[in-house]
Amino acid sequence: MTLNPTQALRKKLRFRCWHRGTKEMDLMLGRFADTYVDGFNDQQLKDFEDMLSISDPDLYNWASGREPVPAEQQDNKILELFLNAQNK
């Protein structure tokens, strides 16, 4: 079965989320991806892929409230969705 480009990107993003290298982030991002990625449009998928370039320590610290999200990331809607999902 051949995947279309959007399906292939979703599959790649899920894999990247579950294989970050830090177990805590694997769980946080993997569960987030499993819940939300299928509903993302092409732009949201690109934004999510961009978010995955942020380091594990930064994402973890922001999600746990140890550090505030920097101003340059404040308009990132996918990051906002991720952070809100961690606080449920």
Side-chain angles (χ1 to χ4, degrees):
M1 180 174 136
T2 303
L3 299 176
N4 70 43
T6 301
Q7 291 170 320
L9 179 57
R10 285 185 173 117
K11 184 176 178 177
K12 177 179 108 172
L13 292 173
R14 270 197 198 89
F15 182 87
R16 285 182 61 194
C17 287
W18 280 108
H19 297 89
R20 295 282 291 191
T22 305
K23 192 59 170 172
E24 293 84 356
M25 290 310 301
D26 290 353
L27 292 170
M28 291 168 72
L29 283 168
R31 289 175 181 160
F32 177 81
D34 286 349
T35 301
Y36 292 98
V37 164
D38 284 339
F40 285 170
N41 63 33
D42 288 341
Q43 182 60 52
Q44 290 169 316
L45 289 170
K46 183 192 177 316
D47 293 344
F48 186 48
E49 185 173 30
D50 291 345
M51 187 190 95
L52 293 180
S53 68
I54 298 170
S55 73
D56 283 356
D58 286 338
L59 286 173
Y60 185 80
N61 287 337
W62 301 339
S64 65
R66 292 180 181 182
E67 293 179 9
V69 177
E72 65 270 9
Q73 295 291 339
Q74 300 259 333
D75 292 332
N76 185 330
K77 297 298 181 192
I78 300 300
L79 177 60
E80 183 180 332
L81 180 63
F82 169 72
L83 296 174
N84 287 335
Q86 302 315 304
N87 294 319
K88 287 185 179 180

